[in-house]
């Protein structure tokens, strides 16, 4: 049934020749390089409310009318081609819609929603104008291929069933399938994120990549049902025929903040106790662990975004934190609390996660023609927010290797199934792990008890060992706290903020506040760094590396953000330094010497351990020297020779007995030793 579009066409002609005249003239100069005219829905609504309403209800007809009216303007362009751009509508009022709310009522209607792209297929080509030729009488027929097109079989000239499509002489348009899922910050806790398939056409092809946050406007269409074993239940799946895509590069833009809330946040920022209030709001059910909670608060706010080095390389502003603790010390509870508060977050558990699930998966493409496609994993989808990884020590080694690049340069380079790509992972990582032997041994260096490679450990800005110390007074308070919670008599002694308010406050700070480092704060951090480096010169160990210097700056900036301050002052630097000193005292201290030693984390062994190993190697060399001329090495002579290498007698005897105990050397006869297997 033909629908009369003349009224809509004349309305669009008026609209294009008045409101959008300048935009159309500009497009005509660059057409066909740019083939779309983007119309802001609010402009159309102001011009003709009835026309804008009709666009939502009958988009196909209205878009056809708009494209027809622009053709009728008969604009001349430099190439001499017909000026027929696509008309795309953006900024629709239905943007509050969630993907899960798109229902059968919306079929054939215009819908708009926001989502994150999870995968994109290869480009394919759809016939636009098909040319058919009769194999008997050579007569030709050209047909426009629209929706529900059925190819003709009978020739109009000779009446025979001899028509054949001439593929190479037909004209085509590019199409591409993609998939988007609900934005993480809009999914209510624990609900699975709904997803929907997209169909992109012509100049929209390749305009999005997995991990992008986009606003989609398009027509909801049905896919024909698949015939399963000759039985057809008339059940249809759906897809969106995309009309326009608007990229939303900014993170946290989704969280709506009213003017009233903004005023309240400014008041909160001026409160000198705001840091304490926020710290108390994180995992309030957990007793103690003030430093850990403070670090988690700083991580939620993050450093100053958008800083670059000379040469254009961006400086990481996300803070990575690792919690390693005895079983039952509420690590997972901390992670879950952060996951609930963070405006955008993903929670994964190490035992059930693979490197593909964390980074990018290559999977068989069901959208295209069965090739391969890349699907964004947890760190890519959480880009711009935080990712909580529980049971970090249970991740397989090869899967953990994928984290090195994601944590430092905040990107993931992929070469899978013949596809080479790079994804953005601007994600702050909060990980929790257990010690190697289940519990910490207080007599050994804590860093030796981690089942995590030193290369990865050094990428964390702060590492907290949560040690279960037996202390009667503390234990009594903790028992009181837990039992009163179970009895419903929870004592609220400290001020805290509601979870939803805190989430908005964090989003506001991350969106609007970009603190700059002031000379006083810079000098304070420099002093601390230089003093630590100077102290380590005497002992021969390395107390701090430049990587941790950047970490201190990030922590200071995050503290300034909590106060909504545009500058990083000396007090902010002090908070960062004190937190770092606390971590160093806990984890980066060599038990043998009592000195700060960053190598405990970066190499897995403090200086005292490395020296012991070097001395053991020296003694083995002395034994080998003796064995070149004799059948066995006399212990007393080995000890005598060791003195010339600055190894005193007690140390030499201790090392020889250690080598005997480990089975590296054996006693051939009393006072004479040999190396096993040599």
């Amino acid at each position: 049934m033909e629908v009369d579009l003349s009224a809509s066409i004349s309305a669009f002609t008026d609209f294009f020749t008045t409101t959008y005249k300048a935009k159309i003239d500009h497009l005509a100069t660059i057409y066909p390089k740019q083939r779309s005219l983007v119309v802001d829905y609010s402009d159309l609504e102001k011009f003709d409310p009835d026309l804008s309403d009709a666009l939502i209800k009958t988009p196909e007809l209205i878009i056809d009318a708009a494209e027809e009216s622009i053709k009728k303007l008969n604009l001349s362009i430099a190439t001499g081609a017909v000026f027929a751009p696509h008309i795309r509508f953006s900024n629709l009022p239905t943007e509050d819609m969630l993907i899960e709310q798109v229902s059968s009522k919306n079929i054939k209607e215009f819908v708009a929603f926001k989502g994150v792209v999870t995968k994109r297929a290869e480009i394919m080509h759809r016939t636009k104008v098909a040319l058919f030729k009769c194999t008997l009488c050579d007569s030709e027929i050209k047909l426009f291929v629209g929706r529900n097109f059925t190819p003709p079989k009978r020739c109009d000239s000779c009446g025979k069933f001899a028509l054949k499509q001439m593929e190479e002489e037909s004209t085509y348009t590019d199409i591409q399938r993609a998939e988007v899922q609900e934005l993480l910050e809009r999914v209510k806790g624990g609900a699975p994120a709904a997803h929907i398939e997209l169909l992109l056409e012509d100049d929209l092809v390749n305009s999005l990549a997995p991990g992008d946050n986009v606003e989609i406007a398009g027509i909801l269409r049905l896919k024909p049902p698949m015939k399963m074993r000759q039985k057809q239940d008339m059940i249809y799946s759906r897809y969106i025929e995309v009309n326009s895509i608007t990229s939303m590069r900014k993170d946290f833009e989704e969280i709506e903040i009213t003017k009233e809330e903004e005023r309240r946040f400014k008041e909160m920022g001026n409160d000198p106790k705001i840091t304490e209030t926020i710290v108390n709001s994180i995992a309030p059910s957990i007793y103690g662990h003030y430093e850990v909670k403070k670090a988690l608060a700083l991580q939620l706010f993050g450093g100053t975004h958008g800083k670059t080095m000379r040469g254009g390389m961006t400086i990481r502003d996300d803070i990575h934190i690792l919690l390693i603790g005895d079983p039952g010390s509420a690590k997972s509870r901390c992670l879950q609390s952060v996951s609930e508060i963070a405006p955008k977050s993903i929670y994964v558990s190490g035992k059930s996660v693979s490197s593909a699930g964390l980074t990018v998966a290559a999977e068989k493409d069901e959208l295209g023609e069965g090739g391969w496609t890349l699907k964004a994993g947890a760190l890519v989808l959480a880009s711009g927010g935080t990712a909580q990884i529980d049971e970090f020590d249970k991740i397989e080694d090869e899967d953990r290797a994928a984290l090195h690049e994601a944590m430092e340069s905040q990107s993931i380079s992929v070469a899978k199934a013949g596809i080479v790509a790079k994804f953005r992972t601007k994600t702050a990582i909060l990980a929790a792990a257990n010690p190697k032997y289940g519990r910490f041994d207080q007599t050994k260096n804590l860093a030796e008890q981690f089942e995590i490679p030193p290369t990865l450990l050094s990428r964390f800005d702060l590492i907290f060992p949560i040690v279960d110390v037996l202390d009667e007074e503390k234990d009594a308070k903790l028992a009181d706290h837990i039992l009163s919670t179970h009895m419903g008599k929870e004592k609220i002694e400290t001020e805290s903020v509601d979870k939803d308010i805190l989430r908005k406050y964090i989003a506001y700070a991350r969106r609007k506040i970009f603190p700059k480092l002031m000379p006083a704060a810079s000098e304070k951090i420099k002093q601390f760094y230089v003093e630590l480096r100077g102290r380590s010169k005497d002992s021969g160990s390395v107390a701090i590396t430049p990587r941790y210097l950047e970490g201190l700056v990030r922590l200071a900036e995050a503290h300034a953000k909590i106060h909504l301050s545009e500058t990083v002052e000396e007090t902010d630097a002090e908070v960062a330094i004190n937190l770092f000193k606390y971590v160093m005292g806990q984890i980066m201290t060599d038990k043998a010497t009592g000195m700060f030693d960053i190598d405990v984390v970066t190499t897995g062994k403090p200086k005292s351990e490395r020296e012991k190993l070097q001395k053991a190697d020296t003694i083995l060399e002395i034994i080998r020297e003796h064995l070149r001329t004799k059948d066995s090495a006399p212990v007393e002579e080995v000890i005598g020779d060791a003195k010339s290498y600055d190894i005193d007698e007690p140390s030499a005897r201790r090392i020889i007995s250690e080598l005997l105990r480990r089975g590296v050397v054996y006693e051939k006869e009393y006072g004479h030793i040999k190396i096993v297997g040599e």
Side-chain angles (χ1 to χ4, degrees):
M1 189 180 83
E2 283 294 315
V3 181
D4 183 22
L5 296 177
S6 53
S8 302
I9 291 172
S10 64
F12 269 115
T13 306
D14 290 349
F15 177 66
F16 290 144
T17 49
T18 54
T19 314
Y20 267 54
K21 188 174 188 323
K23 283 192 179 183
I24 289 172
D25 291 345
H26 172 67
L27 182 62
T29 60
I30 51 175
Y31 187 87
K33 194 175 180 182
Q34 188 182 320
R35 298 193 295 281
S36 290
L37 174 71
V38 180
V39 175
D40 191 315
Y41 181 83
S42 56
D43 293 340
L44 184 66
E45 198 171 28
K46 279 178 206 155
F47 181 79
D48 188 339
D50 294 340
L51 194 60
S52 62
D53 290 346
L55 173 69
I56 302 294
K57 290 294 170 198
T58 55
E60 210 172 328
L61 298 175
I62 301 301
I63 291 168
D64 284 350
E67 290 181 354
E68 191 57 42
S69 76
I70 213 160
K71 272 188 211 163
K72 286 190 172 176
L73 295 177
N74 289 329
L75 290 175
S76 56
I77 54 170
T79 57
V82 179
F83 182 63
H86 302 288
I87 308 295
R88 308 206 178 278
F89 294 92
S90 67
N91 197 14
L92 266 84
T94 47
E95 61 188 21
D96 294 335
M97 185 181 261
L98 296 172
I99 295 173
E100 61 186 32
Q101 291 167 350
V102 176
S103 71
S104 56
K105 296 187 190 77
N106 304 113
I107 294 166
K108 286 191 171 180
E109 286 188 0
F110 215 50
V111 290
F113 50 80
K114 290 170 182 170
V116 56
V117 182
T118 53
K119 60 180 174 181
R120 179 184 96 178
E122 290 299 313
I123 294 175
M124 293 184 286
H125 311 291
R126 175 195 274 162
T127 313
K128 203 172 176 185
V129 178
L131 178 79
F132 293 92
K133 197 171 187 178
C134 179
T135 51
L136 297 173
C137 69
D138 279 355
S139 63
E140 292 182 354
I141 175 171
K142 270 190 177 181
L143 293 170
F144 177 76
V145 179
R147 292 178 55 74
N148 306 323
F149 172 78
T150 45
K153 293 186 175 67
R154 180 180 288 204
C155 172
D156 290 349
S157 304
C158 65
K160 298 281 193 298
F161 289 91
L163 280 181
K164 184 174 184 255
Q165 187 189 347
M166 310 305 288
E167 269 113 359
E168 290 184 6
E169 291 166 50
S170 301
T171 52
Y172 297 88
T173 181
D174 295 338
I175 64 161
Q176 186 176 40
R177 292 185 184 278
E179 191 180 85
V180 290
Q181 78 169 37
E182 209 77 82
L183 284 175
L184 295 166
E185 51 266 50
R186 299 182 77 170
V187 177
K188 295 287 177 282
H195 53 86
I196 197 164
E197 195 181 310
L198 308 177
L199 179 70
L200 314 173
E201 208 167 313
D202 198 16
D203 55 342
L204 290 182
V205 160
N206 286 344
S207 59
L208 39 70
D212 285 358
N213 283 6
V214 289
E215 189 178 313
I216 300 288
I219 305 167
L220 181 66
R221 302 278 191 199
L222 294 180
K223 267 180 166 180
M226 288 169 69
K227 287 185 180 174
M228 304 288 283
R229 297 193 191 131
Q230 306 304 311
K231 186 186 171 198
Q232 193 173 319
D233 283 340
M234 304 291 280
I235 295 170
Y236 297 81
S237 57
R238 70 221 180 130
Y239 68 93
I240 300 286
E241 189 182 292
V242 179
N243 175 264
S244 75
I245 297 170
T246 312
S247 177
M248 303 187 305
R249 278 269 172 233
K250 292 175 186 161
D251 302 303
F252 304 126
E253 286 297 300
E254 271 323 285
I255 292 175
E256 296 293 329
I257 293 168
T258 62
K259 286 270 181 282
E260 178 58 38
E261 283 170 336
E262 204 169 312
R263 196 179 52 74
R264 185 185 167 186
F265 292 158
K266 283 176 182 165
E267 279 174 20
M268 281 168 70
N270 291 331
D271 180 1
K273 288 187 175 176
I274 184 66
T275 308
E276 212 170 302
T277 309
I278 287 173
V279 171
N280 293 332
S281 309
I282 294 171
S285 59
I286 297 167
Y287 176 75
H289 300 311
Y290 185 79
E291 281 80 9
V292 175
K293 290 183 185 181
K294 193 174 206 173
L296 297 183
L298 295 178
Q299 185 192 37
L300 283 167
F301 284 86
T304 302
H305 177 56
K307 290 187 295 182
T308 52
M309 294 181 191
R310 280 172 65 185
M313 190 179 169
T314 54
I315 299 172
R316 167 161 72 91
D317 57 282
D318 289 308
I319 297 164
H320 301 314
I321 296 174
L322 175 64
L323 309 179
I324 296 194
D326 292 330
S329 52
K331 301 182 300 297
S332 298
R333 192 74 68 82
C334 283
L335 264 66
Q336 283 159 357
S337 178
V338 170
S339 179
E340 285 167 13
I341 292 167
K344 179 179 186 178
S345 77
I346 283 187
Y347 181 96
V348 293
S349 182
K351 198 69 182 156
S352 59
V353 78
S354 66
S355 63
L358 270 177
T359 56
V360 175
E363 55 179 46
K364 269 292 195 196
D365 178 17
E366 291 154 16
L367 302 175
E369 288 294 290
W372 287 88
T373 181
L374 294 179
K375 189 162 186 179
L379 295 183
V380 180
L381 292 176
S383 188
T386 63
Q388 292 79 39
I389 308 174
D390 206 351
E391 307 287 348
F392 192 67
D393 50 321
K394 309 285 190 304
I395 302 178
E396 301 296 331
D397 286 346
E398 58 269 26
D399 297 339
R400 222 186 276 142
L403 288 166
H404 284 83
E405 184 192 358
M407 289 178 75
E408 194 50 51
S409 51
Q410 301 212 294
S411 62
I412 288 173
S413 308
V414 193
K416 290 183 179 184
I419 308 168
V420 180
K422 195 166 189 167
F423 292 86
R424 177 169 161 268
T425 57
K426 223 196 82 42
T427 310
I429 291 175
L430 170 60
N434 287 331
K436 201 186 289 186
Y437 308 113
R439 222 169 242 288
F440 279 124
D441 179 350
Q442 293 297 314
T443 59
K444 293 181 181 170
N445 285 313
L446 296 186
E448 291 171 44
Q449 302 176 57
F450 302 161
E451 197 73 275
I452 297 167
T455 48
L456 202 54
L457 275 180
S458 67
R459 281 172 167 75
F460 285 100
D461 295 281
L462 295 170
I463 302 168
F464 287 95
I466 303 174
V467 185
D468 194 354
V469 182
L470 301 172
D471 177 329
E472 200 171 324
E473 192 184 334
K474 256 189 177 177
D475 293 344
K477 281 184 180 172
L478 176 60
D480 273 349
H481 179 81
I482 294 170
L483 294 169
S484 61
T485 306
H486 281 277
M487 288 160 69
K489 299 175 183 169
E490 198 172 345
K491 291 176 271 185
I492 300 169
E493 295 163 3
T494 50
E495 205 178 320
S496 62
V497 185
D498 179 64
K499 212 183 290 175
D500 292 333
I501 299 287
L502 181 55
R503 187 184 297 115
K504 286 187 175 185
Y505 186 74
I506 293 165
Y508 175 77
R510 291 191 71 143
R511 202 192 293 180
K512 297 278 170 84
I513 310 294
F514 304 99
K516 283 190 168 58
L517 195 63
M518 290 288 106
S522 173
E523 190 56 39
K524 185 92 183 163
I525 293 171
K526 179 185 163 185
Q527 243 176 334
F528 173 68
Y529 176 74
V530 173
E531 188 194 325
L532 268 187
R533 297 282 289 188
R535 228 193 285 172
S536 57
K537 198 188 275 184
D538 308 329
S539 65
S541 61
V542 178
I544 190 170
T545 59
R547 178 179 270 169
Y548 288 98
L549 183 63
E550 282 194 355
L552 285 168
V553 173
R554 279 191 283 273
L555 292 167
E557 287 169 348
H559 191 259
K561 268 191 185 181
I562 290 180
H563 290 273
L564 303 185
S565 166
E566 291 291 351
T567 56
V568 181
E569 302 298 342
E570 203 171 334
T571 48
D572 301 314
E574 266 171 29
V575 168
I577 289 166
N578 290 339
L579 206 50
F580 191 70
K581 272 185 185 168
Y582 174 81
V583 169
M584 287 190 86
Q586 293 268 314
I587 210 162
M588 297 172 189
T589 307
D590 184 350
K591 277 265 192 285
T593 61
M595 298 293 288
F596 282 161
D597 188 349
I598 207 90
D599 290 343
V600 173
V601 168
T602 53
T603 65
K605 284 188 170 52
K607 183 171 180 286
S608 59
E609 279 285 318
R610 292 200 311 280
E611 278 179 356
K612 208 189 286 178
L613 289 172
Q614 284 161 357
K615 286 176 181 175
D617 285 345
T618 306
I619 284 181
L620 281 171
E621 275 307 311
I622 294 167
I623 296 169
R624 282 193 190 98
E625 202 61 47
H626 281 277
L627 293 175
R628 284 195 184 103
T629 52
K630 300 177 209 151
D631 188 39
S632 60
V635 173
E636 294 306 320
E637 284 183 30
V638 170
I639 290 167
D641 292 350
K643 281 179 185 164
S644 60
Y645 290 96
D646 289 336
I647 302 172
D648 56 16
E649 191 179 331
S651 296
R653 286 192 189 281
R654 195 167 59 246
I655 289 166
I656 291 169
S657 60
E658 177 72 11
L659 292 171
L660 281 163
R661 191 180 63 75
R662 280 167 43 206
V664 178
V665 299
Y666 67 96
E667 211 163 9
K668 193 182 178 203
E669 56 196 60
Y670 181 73
H672 289 72
I673 51 177
K674 278 189 87 169
I675 297 173
V676 174
E678 287 189 17

